[in-house]
Amino acid sequence: MDVRTDPAPDRPAPRRRRALAAAAVVVGLAAATAVTLAVTSDGAADGSGTTLGLVPMPVSLEQDGGDPFVLEPTTRVVTVVDADVAGDVRAAVTGVGETLGEQLAPATGFDLARADGPSAAVDGDAGDGDTVEVSADDLDVVPGSITLRLVGDAAGWDPNGPLTDPAAERYALAATSDGVTIEAATPAGLFRGTQTLLQLLPAPVAATSEQPAPAGGWTVPAVRVEDQPRYAYRAVGLDVARRFYPVEDVLRLIDQAASYKFDVLRLHLADDQGWRIAIDGMPELTEIGARTQSGFAPGTNDTGEDWYYTAEDYARIVDHAARRFVTVVPEIDGPGHTLAAQSAIGALRCDGTPAEPYSGFDVGNPMICSSDENMPAVRDYLHGVVTALADMTPGPYLHLGGDEVPDPPDGWYENYTEAANAEVVAAGKTVIGWHEWAQSETLPPGTLVEYWGVGGRNRAGIGTQVETDEVGYMRDAVDKGADVVMMPPDRTYLDMRYDDWSTYGLQWAGFVDLEQAYDWDPATELTSPLDDSLVAVPADRVVGVEAALWSDRTYQNGVLALPDSTDDFVPVQQYMDYLLYPRLPAVAEVAWTPQAQRDYATFVPRLVQHAARWDAQQIGWNRVTDVDWP
Ligand code: TNX
């Protein structure tokens, strides 16, 4: 088939900001997100924890050279909670034990017995979940067991609450030759601890089929870990709109992301090239809007599968994520990036006629007609979409997009943001938007604004006469009360090519090699590198980091040419694996590990040990040449 012959992609350089609001130059930074645990990650045998190969690096790690724990078929997974713990919390803890058993089973072939711990194993003094001290020093190790122990009653913990408290994921882990114990004040903390435990086991444990036990057996080195994330919001974004990813691929990504301690999956569910989620009461959105992908015009769907998620599909994704304490954030972009919606609903256009279905590669297409006169139709659309999506989504956030609307007529952009914000608030959810969203007159309480400006273009101008609009939007975001998620494309856009040898990926934000993805600080991304008194976003307003996999051009040599046919497109799993690995773990560590403990030189020797794990999982990772792989 034919595909559109759009020009090669490039994004306009941000315009210069009209005037610099002097008052908005914030001077004197508060420290970055407080991390209260001791910074002692050098207790390991070689002084840097390298031999353990943990990614992300925990806050604190000690090895005393004791004998390892050996996982046997007779090892029990014991979950321990106090008697007064609420049923849903108790069930969540049990679920962590089940998931660990499921994760250990394929490679070891062990069907580990699980047990709810004897209350005798629990200290009688466990207090209120908010204030418990979790320490690796006094963990009771139950012989022959992996013990997952909830400390306190987790009373304040809500699996669907906002991701604002890094301490909520704190855990401690102790392994001795007797057993392994993980303690945390929340089920989420326990789960993060289990992901550390899996990395402490030999690489073949990651395999999806039974493996012979490694020499020495399935060992866990004697170790004490105390850990918690730097940022509470650690996202992976997946663009399922330009290219559709079947449910199984999304579940696989959730597993991968959770293994590196990400806790958010943002799904870009609607764009010009496709609408990917069934909306109750608005069937035309998928009937018409889901027939296209970038490079796939209507009529080219010969897969026999729908290119959208049904309510059941979406529920599967949300449930799978919830088992791994990953919050799904659905994104419906607007008022730009909406040709799929406009092709389904003519009323979103000023002349009332539906748009042609779009399968090209351009951005900056016409926005929804958000004139005052047309707002009733826009409100209907937003009401239907937002209420349906809020009903399907247990997590607290709805992402409204807001990017790349070239020259909107006066008031149109604000009309749209105001109406969309109101719908999200009425639906009881919290708004997330791209940095342009900060142009909204007001931002509802709790709003997160995601910064996607290229650092290499924006940073030097911060606080000067040539500060860009993008930086200005972030000042507005902070002034309007929002917190900030950092996703500079020259660091965290995993759809960028690594280097000249990358066979796919874009490069409008430059190459993103492994070091580029790793070696930056979210807290100071919007502080001038030339004068640290020039601050657009104070460090204490940065609450998260996102790694994004966009899907504009999922074909070979996409940056150089348009595809000749759909045969040029690579299977989605190949596209994901190649672009996510090895960079995804790099961004994971940016989001998790305190800045003072991060160092590319010590990251790489830990990371290379993961190659065997990726192989065991049959991940088609990119063997980038700037790293010495084993
Ligand atoms: C920018 S990030 C976009 C996306 C593209 C991506 C490609 C953002 C808010 N907009 O529409 O897919 O670049 O790298």
Side-chain angles (χ1 to χ4, degrees), residues 9 11 239 242 266 268 271 273 331 333 337 362-363 399 401-404 434-436 450-452 487 489 493-496 506-509 548-553:
R11 292 200 137 62
D239 172 6
R242 274 57 170 274
R266 178 183 57 82
H268 185 70
D271 208 298
Q273 296 90 345
E331 182 201 351
D333 206 345
H337 289 272
D362 280 348
V363 294
H399 201 306
D403 57 318
E404 297 183 311
W434 302 122
H435 56 223
E436 293 94 327
E450 295 204 78
Y451 172 68
W452 65 283
M487 49 184 304
Y493 272 29
L494 303 188
D495 62 319
M496 292 302 128
L506 301 181
Q507 66 182 57
W508 66 266
L549 186 66
W550 298 98
S551 311
D552 304 44
R553 295 176 179 234

Side-chain angles (χ1 to χ4, degrees), residues 262-495:
F262 285 97
D263 65 347
V264 172
L265 174 70
R266 178 183 57 82
L267 289 175
H268 185 70
L269 290 168
D271 208 298
D272 294 320
Q273 296 90 345
W275 185 282
R276 306 292 176 217
I277 181 80
I279 297 292
D280 202 25
M282 303 171 78
E284 64 279 17
L285 282 170
T286 42
E287 276 166 16
I288 298 170
R291 292 180 304 153
T292 41
Q293 303 186 75
S294 290
F296 296 77
T300 47
N301 186 352
D302 52 12
T303 64
E305 285 171 14
D306 289 328
W307 287 340
Y308 67 89
Y309 306 119
T310 63
E312 295 72 43
D313 291 336
Y314 186 71
R316 264 184 82 199
I317 292 170
V318 165
D319 289 348
H320 192 89
R323 296 277 291 180
R324 287 147 188 81
F325 302 89
V326 170
T327 298
V328 173
V329 175
E331 182 201 351
I332 300 295
D333 206 345
H337 289 272
T338 46
L339 286 182
Q342 294 178 49
S343 73
I345 303 176
L348 297 177
R349 315 251 293 170
C350 293
D351 66 3
T353 53
E356 284 295 312
Y358 185 71
S359 56
F361 300 91
D362 280 348
V363 294
N365 293 309
M367 69 185 291
I368 285 175
C369 176
S370 311
S371 62
D372 293 348
E373 305 74 61
N374 205 46
M375 278 310 290
V378 176
R379 279 200 195 89
D380 274 356
Y381 158 80
L382 285 169
H383 180 74
V385 170
V386 167
T387 48
L389 211 51
D391 276 354
M392 301 163 82
T393 303
Y397 303 108
L398 295 191
H399 201 306
L400 295 169
D403 57 318
E404 297 183 311
V405 184
D407 304 318
D410 246 8
W412 283 29
Y413 190 89
E414 294 77 7
N415 281 348
Y416 184 93
T417 55
E418 194 189 321
N421 284 335
E423 289 296 342
V424 171
V425 170
K429 299 293 186 186
T430 299
V431 170
I432 306 184
W434 302 122
H435 56 223
E436 293 94 327
W437 200 263
Q439 296 168 95
S440 174
E441 217 148 295
T442 59
L443 296 171
T447 296
L448 299 181
V449 171
E450 295 204 78
Y451 172 68
W452 65 283
V454 176
R457 291 182 199 151
N458 286 334
R459 296 195 70 222
I462 292 170
T464 74
Q465 291 306 313
V466 294
E467 184 172 283
T468 61
D469 277 1
E470 296 181 324
V471 174
Y473 295 146
M474 296 312 296
R475 291 186 187 278
D476 295 346
V478 168
D479 286 349
K480 292 173 184 173
D483 283 329
V484 172
V485 175
M486 289 293 180
M487 49 184 304
D490 50 342
R491 304 292 187 177
T492 74
Y493 272 29
L494 303 188
D495 62 319

Side-chain angles (χ1 to χ4, degrees), residues 498 577-578 581-582 610-612 614-615 619-624 629-630:
Y498 291 81
D577 287 2
Y578 178 91
Y581 286 88
H610 288 231
W614 306 334
D615 287 338
I619 292 172
W621 55 284
N622 180 7
R623 202 179 175 87
V624 291
W629 299 102

Side-chain angles (χ1 to χ4, degrees), residues 189-239:
L190 288 175
F191 178 78
R192 303 294 172 236
T194 63
Q195 301 311 289
T196 299
L197 172 58
L198 288 169
Q199 287 192 12
L200 289 168
L201 283 154
V205 79
T208 52
S209 61
E210 198 165 334
Q211 303 295 309
W218 297 106
T219 54
V220 179
V223 68
R224 287 178 181 280
V225 174
E226 291 181 11
D227 203 11
Q228 74 171 51
R230 180 183 188 191
Y231 293 115
Y233 188 103
R234 305 177 305 279
V236 175
L238 183 67
D239 172 6

